[in-house]
Amino acid sequence: MFEHLLSLVIWTPILAGVLVLATGNDGNAGMARWVALIGAIAGLAVSLPLYTHFEQLHGGMQFVENLPWISRFNINYHLGVDGISMLFIVLNSFTTLLVVIAGWEVIEKRVAQYMAAFLIMSGLINGTFAALDAILFYVFFEAMLIPMYLVIGVWGGPNRVYAAIKFFLYTLIGSLLMLVAFIYLYYRSAGSFNILDFHNLRIADSWSGVVPLLGYSFTIPVQTMLFLAFFAAFAVKVPMWPVHTWLPDAHVEAPTGGSMVLAAITLKIGAYGFLRFCLPIAPDASVQLSGFMVFLSLVAVVYIGLVALVQADMKKLVAYSSISHMGFVTLGLFMFAKGQLTTEGVEGALIQMVSHGFVSAAMFACIGVMYDRMHSRQIADYGGVVNTMPKFAAFMLLFAMANAGLPATSGFVGEFLVIMGAVKANFWYAFLAATTLIFGAAYTLWMYKRVIFGDVANAHVAELKDINGREFLLLGILAITVLGMGLYPEMFISKMHASVNDLIAHVARTKI
Amino acid sequence: MILTNMNLGPVLPELFLLVAGLAILMLDLVLEENQRGLLHWFSVATLAGCAALTLQPSAEPVFLFNNMFVGDALSGVLKFAACAVTAVSLCYSRSYIAARGMFRVEFYALALFAVLGMLVMISANHFMVLYLGLELMSLSIYAMVALQRDSTKSTEAALKYFVLGALASGMLLFGMSMLYGATGSLNIGVVAQKIASGGANPVLNSIGVVFVVAGLAFKLGAVPFHMWVPDVYEGSPTAVTLFIGSAPKLAAFAFVIRMLAVGLAGLSADWQQMLIILAVLSMGLGNLTAIAQTNIKRMLAYSAISHMGFMLLGIIGANANGFASSMFYIIAYVIMTAGTFGIIMLLAGEQGEADDFDTFRGLNQRSPWKAFVMLLLMASMAGIPGTVGFLAKLSVIQAVVDIGQIWLAVVSVLFSLIGAFYYLRVIKLMYFDEPVANIALPGASESRALLSLNGIAILALGILPQSLMNVCVEAIRHSLHLA
């Protein structure tokens, strides 16, 4: 019954997107919105069986589909999910629905194109998570850039063109190197692009060369080269310090929906790439370079946390907080204790990813709600919003607390697990990582205080209207998930546990 | 010569085209002014018929005229593609040339004769035949560039093209004569045998190879023999630019295969080095210079240079896998180019050229469908997955990694990243910018449906490339007898 479920999950939103495009110009905007909503609901509906019918005791790939695609290069339409990727597909379909609701009446120009871009992107992102063939993965991974480029560039803020091009080129740089790595692995594995074959490849040799003119000779293990190629692709996507600079620009200029998808999903693809490619394909290089990765992650956690503190623009603040939170994710993924990944670290990283998906989407949705009314993102333009928008203030408080990692919200679980793992690996990692609990609370709550509390700052704030039914629905759904995940994280952990253990066991086996 | 025993099948397309080309000259004499449309349909029908004639099954190569002419799977595919793409470009050009006083028999006759030259080149198995085809093609094209007699820009471009083209032909002839001196034959098969058996003078061989490769590089427009490309692309009427940018690239590819892969296969160690340099320089200079262009035709000219660099990547390996990859690349490239210049012509309307960026500003608001087709074309040129351009790049990069030149693969992807920037800029103009008010969008045109098909082909071949890839692999396998 579920043989073609993954195909359905990928192609339903894409088809819906094409249908939305077919509704034509803005004369038919209402129709475009409804078709998009139905498409998004259908997309979520077909992805739910992935969660409910997932056999959680089984760590391997499930719902596998494998058809020949380009037989000349042995490229297959090979899909499958494990406990890790399955969660992100569901999260993505869920976020798409929220994005459609969030843009409902806010987007007024070229509605059909806006909705279609998100639906098509949603399908492509699902494909990225489900692909088990390297080239298929690459196709989805890259094709996703075009709709996002258009979303930022067409519906974004004043500096949108710069941000769109920066976003595109940054992401392209890394992924092209990854493509070369894929082709190299294709020859190493005697003609296979199957990602699972890559995992089992023994790569023990080194590559040596001489620098022309200087005469300096060097030797680099092939695993390290592969690691760096994948690192280039995924570090930009996560984004890790110091290649994070595209993110604040892209976020600030993107429309609310764009920011939600960027933060909630596309950043996760970077971390997912580390899990799916870097760690299993180059485990020895991962152990060797783990100090480097931990260093970059801690810089992101501490330094970017401080940078967030001084932002005057709310969206920029949340963007920097995203980078800081993603630092936690990469920290969890690359902490080795006695040559082995820590279960707490990896699971914490995954939980943090899912949680950040909800929380950052919620934060951007909140900022969107205010921006739609005031057309300003500057903290200084606000103050005393609670007086005119009490319901909204309550919701935002919850999300701000989750962003700061308050227990009983989803933000707490991931951070707590990662810090636990860090204690196992090295006390100082844990010490530095734990500072985020202070900085995170500081920048989020300080922003909240300046924007929401106090007296009504100016006449514009005095005229604000509280959230309407649509916004209540949007924020309400997010609030339930944030709380639900904080109170009962087991519903996610149980699904991923087997796959995480498999991964840890796999990485522990040396390939040399 | 006993003609009765000869199988003329492989040469039928050329004969048919020759007769039709002469017939169209006659036809023009009896046509009234308002019946000129017939010229167009006659030419398109001729090319369609010619394409149909190339579809004869010939699994094994058939040699004709004392081994001077060869009909094989490779020539069949390339001839079909050349005829088809020329027919499509004639359809794109029709309203454009009609509005600019070029809707005359000369345009069609020259185009048909140029195609005839290409077909001869594609099937040549002898240096002289190769040269004959090359000159027939080139001379027709020089004249086409100058077809707008009162345009100084066109005349200048034609003159430049002619002088540099003559120089390149000279180099080519010099190289061929050296090879003749070394091997004692002009027949490509015999030359190959002589070189393989070691019976040829290595010094003469090397000199021959250098000059032949230089001549080839000129015809392809590879750096450092690229100087004519931007000027000719910009100076020619767009209909002619479209023509130059598409089918002749296929003929040049056949030229490369016949010359290097067959004739000089034994000297591959010599020409591989040269091709690596040509490829890297073309990709680098083409992509970097394209960024600085503000004229879209000039930008596409530099983009063409970089694409030829990419195409050469496949040739470097000197193996069947690489040749098939290059063949796929060149066919994909020709499909993209046809569509791109087709759109530029469609936007040009009644007069002037649509070659500055203003024409593309806000195109999405004026015509979402055209903007979308252009988006696909640009994405394909940039090599974004989901389009045929990505698979073309994947094929050639794969061929490079196959021969262990990983650094070359890395260099090529870095240059394609630089290339992505200027293609993205066109998308930016169409989608992000506001339209410039005073540029009206031309009305419906007959080429619109064809353009849509072209755009869909980019996407369809990007998603289901297997059949075209197989055609390329099989053609190379049956024609070159390589492993």
Side-chain angles (χ1 to χ4, degrees):
Chain A
M1 181 187 170
F2 295 121
E3 284 149 42
H4 298 294
L5 189 61
L6 281 173
S7 287
L8 216 56
V9 167
I10 294 170
W11 297 105
T12 305
I14 294 181
L15 269 180
V18 173
L19 275 180
V20 172
L21 271 186
T23 60
N25 56 22
D26 283 349
N28 264 337
M31 170 106 139
R33 290 188 184 110
W34 281 106
V35 175
L37 183 67
I38 293 166
I41 291 174
L44 181 60
V46 292
S47 62
L48 282 179
L50 283 181
Y51 182 83
T52 53
H53 288 75
F54 188 84
E55 292 170 33
Q56 59 189 42
L57 296 177
H58 170 49
M61 293 297 162
Q62 305 187 22
F63 305 103
V64 174
E65 287 174 49
N66 197 352
L67 297 167
W69 178 27
I70 304 174
S71 55
R72 181 179 167 207
F73 299 127
N74 195 12
I75 298 173
N76 298 306
Y77 178 75
H78 189 180
L79 303 173
V81 287
D82 61 4
I84 298 168
S85 45
M86 180 275 291
L87 289 178
F88 291 108
I89 292 183
V90 178
L91 175 66
N92 175 44
S93 302
F94 177 74
T95 312
T96 307
L97 178 61
L98 296 183
V99 164
V100 171
I101 298 175
W104 193 259
E105 59 218 9
V106 180
I107 298 294
E108 286 164 349
K109 68 170 184 175
R110 287 176 257 170
V111 178
Q113 290 185 1
Y114 179 84
M115 296 294 183
F118 277 107
L119 286 170
I120 291 172
M121 193 154 52
S122 168
L124 295 174
I125 291 171
N126 284 342
T128 313
F129 284 121
L132 289 183
D133 183 281
I135 296 297
L136 189 67
F137 172 84
Y138 186 81
V139 167
F140 284 126
F141 186 77
E142 286 286 278
M144 190 170 73
L145 291 182
I146 291 266
M148 198 67 206
Y149 174 71
L150 295 179
V151 164
I152 298 175
V154 177
W155 293 275
N159 202 14
R160 59 185 193 272
V161 174
Y162 169 78
I165 292 185
K166 191 170 179 183
F167 160 77
F168 196 104
L169 292 181
Y170 258 73
T171 357
L172 195 60
I173 295 179
S175 49
L176 284 167
L177 290 175
M178 175 174 76
L179 180 65
V180 176
F182 282 156
I183 298 174
Y184 175 79
L185 286 167
Y186 169 72
Y187 283 100
R188 280 300 289 256
S189 61
S192 166
F193 274 120
N194 186 336
I195 294 172
L196 303 177
D197 286 349
F198 290 175
H199 288 184
N200 296 322
L201 214 56
R202 272 181 61 84
I203 306 169
D205 49 338
S206 289
W207 188 71
S208 49
V210 178
V211 181
L213 303 177
L214 298 177
Y216 168 73
S217 67
F218 58 91
T219 310
I220 305 176
V222 170
Q223 273 199 30
T224 308
M225 309 256 297
L226 288 170
F227 184 94
L228 292 177
F230 289 125
F231 174 77
F234 300 126
V236 170
K237 206 88 177 179
V238 167
M240 294 179 78
W241 180 86
V243 285
H244 65 281
T245 58
W246 63 271
L247 185 79
D249 285 319
H251 264 315
V252 169
E253 301 304 334
T256 304
S259 293
M260 286 168 73
V261 170
L262 255 181
I265 308 297
T266 53
L267 305 190
K268 308 306 179 293
I269 293 172
Y272 170 77
F274 278 126
L275 272 177
R276 185 64 88 225
F277 295 96
C278 260
L279 286 169
I281 293 177
D284 302 292
S286 302
V287 175
Q288 251 177 15
L289 293 172
S290 79
F292 169 70
M293 297 297 285
V294 167
F295 169 73
L296 294 185
S297 309
L298 287 175
V299 170
V301 169
V302 177
Y303 166 71
I304 300 291
L306 289 171
V307 171
L309 202 55
V310 298
Q311 296 305 315
D313 179 314
M314 289 190 282
K315 251 185 154 177
K316 246 190 175 144
L317 189 147
V318 179
Y320 278 111
S321 110
S322 286
I323 302 172
S324 172
H325 282 118
M326 289 308 287
F328 245 91
V329 173
T330 45
L331 179 69
L333 292 181
F334 283 95
M335 278 183 318
F336 288 86
K338 302 190 189 82
Q340 206 170 359
L341 287 171
T342 58
T343 316
E344 293 86 354
V346 176
E347 286 187 352
L350 286 166
I351 291 290
Q352 172 80 342
M353 278 157 78
V354 176
S355 149
H356 179 253
F358 294 129
V359 176
S360 63
M363 288 303 283
F364 282 117
C366 285
I367 296 171
V369 165
M370 288 191 281
Y371 182 80
D372 294 338
R373 289 168 171 71
M374 300 267 289
H375 295 283
S376 167
R377 295 181 305 255
Q378 300 301 316
I379 296 174
D381 290 346
Y382 292 87
V385 171
V386 68
N387 299 307
T388 42
M389 299 176 75
K391 277 187 272 180
F392 170 75
F395 274 123
M396 191 162 168
L397 181 66
L398 173 68
F399 300 134
M401 289 300 183
N403 201 38
L406 185 82
T409 62
S410 63
F412 172 72
V413 186
E415 290 182 4
F416 180 69
L417 281 172
V418 172
I419 293 173
M420 260 171 52
V423 175
K424 263 191 189 173
N426 184 326
F427 169 75
W428 291 106
Y429 293 175
F431 179 82
L432 285 170
T435 57
T436 194
L437 294 173
I438 302 164
F439 295 140
Y443 58 71
T444 319
L445 297 182
W446 190 34
M447 173 188 86
Y448 186 80
K449 181 215 148 224
R450 282 178 292 168
V451 170
I452 304 288
F453 292 151
D455 295 329
V456 172
N458 53 42
H460 295 296
V461 175
E463 287 167 10
L464 284 178
K465 281 196 181 63
D466 208 348
I467 47 179
N468 60 25
R470 175 185 64 87
E471 288 159 341
F472 191 87
L473 177 72
L474 173 68
L475 298 178
I477 297 173
L478 280 164
I480 292 168
T481 32
V482 166
L483 277 177
M485 201 176 157
L487 294 172
Y488 189 61
E490 196 56 26
M491 66 180 170
F492 294 99
I493 295 180
S494 62
K495 294 284 176 187
M496 67 174 67
H497 200 71
S499 300
V500 169
N501 282 341
D502 279 8
L503 175 78
I504 292 173
H506 182 93
V507 176
R509 278 195 300 273
T510 174
K511 283 187 171 188
I512 293 177
Chain B
M1 207 185 282
I2 308 160
L3 281 173
T4 46
N5 282 349
M6 232 160 82
N7 169 19
L8 279 179
V11 81
L12 271 181
E14 284 84 349
L15 293 176
F16 179 72
L17 200 55
L18 177 64
V19 173
L22 296 173
I24 198 172
L25 287 172
M26 293 297 172
L27 181 67
D28 182 55
L29 296 177
V30 297
L31 281 185
E32 301 289 330
E33 189 73 20
N34 57 0
Q35 292 172 320
R36 286 249 174 97
L38 210 56
L39 289 176
H40 172 73
W41 292 115
F42 183 84
S43 310
V44 172
T46 301
L47 288 165
C50 194
L53 284 175
T54 61
L55 288 177
Q56 322 159 46
S58 69
E60 289 308 302
V62 182
F63 294 94
L64 291 177
F65 307 122
N66 284 330
N67 287 342
M68 290 172 109
F69 188 94
V70 59
D72 52 14
L74 176 72
S75 65
V77 175
L78 289 177
K79 283 177 188 177
F80 179 85
C83 292
V85 74
T86 310
V88 170
S89 28
L90 288 184
C91 293
Y92 287 158
S93 313
R94 187 184 168 179
S95 52
Y96 175 91
I97 59 172
R100 285 162 187 76
M102 290 192 295
F103 196 43
R104 295 191 307 258
V105 71
E106 289 89 339
F107 181 82
Y108 289 101
L110 285 170
L112 291 184
F113 282 122
V115 174
L116 176 61
M118 293 173 210
L119 300 194
V120 171
M121 260 171 100
I122 289 171
S123 265
N125 194 38
H126 191 273
F127 287 168
M128 280 305 107
V129 178
L130 205 53
Y131 187 73
L132 194 72
L134 177 68
E135 285 305 288
L136 179 55
M137 175 186 92
S138 305
L139 286 169
S140 311
I141 292 178
Y142 302 147
M144 283 174 86
V145 173
L147 214 51
Q148 254 178 340
R149 275 168 303 195
D150 41 4
S151 156
T152 44
K153 231 178 174 181
S154 296
T155 320
E156 185 195 328
L159 203 62
K160 219 176 243 174
Y161 193 14
F162 175 71
V163 172
L164 287 173
L167 184 71
S169 299
M171 286 200 277
L172 202 61
L173 275 183
F174 184 73
M176 286 173 175
S177 64
M178 287 294 148
L179 290 171
Y180 177 66
T183 60
S185 175
L186 288 172
N187 187 292
I188 291 178
V190 179
V191 169
Q193 275 171 14
K194 281 273 163 55
I195 291 174
S197 64
N201 181 328
V203 178
L204 286 184
N205 270 343
S206 308
I207 299 177
V209 169
V210 170
F211 279 91
V212 164
V213 170
L216 280 176
F218 178 89
K219 292 297 168 194
L220 283 171
V223 179
F225 305 96
H226 66 287
M227 272 77 93
W228 61 276
V229 181
D231 289 337
V232 171
Y233 269 51
E234 189 192 351
S236 310
T238 310
V240 180
T241 313
L242 162 60
F243 187 82
I244 298 174
S246 51
K249 305 281 184 209
L250 294 166
F253 171 76
F255 196 165
V256 171
I257 292 290
R258 301 278 181 222
M259 260 314 207
L260 300 183
V262 182
L264 304 179
L267 299 173
S268 58
D270 290 335
W271 53 256
Q272 274 169 326
Q273 301 296 322
M274 296 174 65
L275 289 196
I276 289 179
I277 296 170
L278 289 175
V280 171
L281 287 180
S282 302
M283 290 186 295
L285 193 123
N287 278 323
L288 286 172
T289 322
I291 291 176
Q293 305 307 317
T294 52
N295 178 304
I296 199 148
K297 278 163 78 181
R298 242 183 134 75
M299 185 194 97
L300 287 169
Y302 282 106
S303 128
I305 294 171
S306 76
H307 280 290
M308 288 307 114
F310 272 101
M311 189 278 282
L312 286 176
L313 288 179
I315 310 283
I316 289 166
N319 57 25
N321 174 25
F323 294 143
S325 302
S326 288
M327 188 168 168
F328 182 75
Y329 196 99
I330 202 88
I331 293 176
Y333 172 72
V334 163
I335 298 173
M336 297 186 268
T337 312
T340 312
F341 284 108
I343 288 199
I344 295 177
M345 265 193 285
L346 194 61
L347 294 180
E350 293 297 309
Q351 55 190 340
E353 293 286 355
D355 56 1
D356 61 347
F357 283 161
D358 280 350
T359 331
F360 285 89
R361 271 182 225 283
L363 185 61
N364 180 39
Q365 292 174 40
R366 296 184 289 154
S367 166
W369 179 242
K370 281 189 203 107
F372 181 68
V373 172
M374 190 70 177
L375 167 83
L376 285 178
L377 290 163
M378 288 295 115
S380 183
M381 290 234 181
I384 305 294
T387 60
V388 67
F390 164 67
L391 292 163
K393 287 214 164 75
L394 176 70
S395 304
V396 292
I397 293 173
Q398 165 277 132
V400 168
V401 175
D402 184 21
I403 55 168
Q405 303 274 21
I406 295 169
W407 69 273
L408 199 53
V410 173
V411 167
S412 66
V413 296
L414 291 181
F415 282 128
S416 76
L417 170 76
I418 295 171
F421 172 74
Y422 59 86
Y423 299 121
L424 273 187
R425 193 169 51 186
V426 177
I427 300 179
K428 174 219 148 207
L429 292 170
M430 295 188 300
Y431 280 85
F432 304 170
D433 289 3
E434 291 300 314
V436 178
N438 57 7
I439 297 179
L441 195 68
S445 157
E446 60 192 287
S447 50
R448 276 185 62 173
L450 212 50
L451 261 176
S452 308
L453 271 181
N454 204 326
I456 291 166
I458 298 281
L459 211 54
L461 283 174
I463 294 168
L464 299 168
Q466 188 57 42
S467 46
L468 182 58
M469 275 185 177
N470 275 346
V471 165
C472 295
V473 171
E474 291 297 303
I476 293 289
R477 196 162 62 88
H478 285 300
S479 309
L480 299 188
H481 297 290
L482 286 166

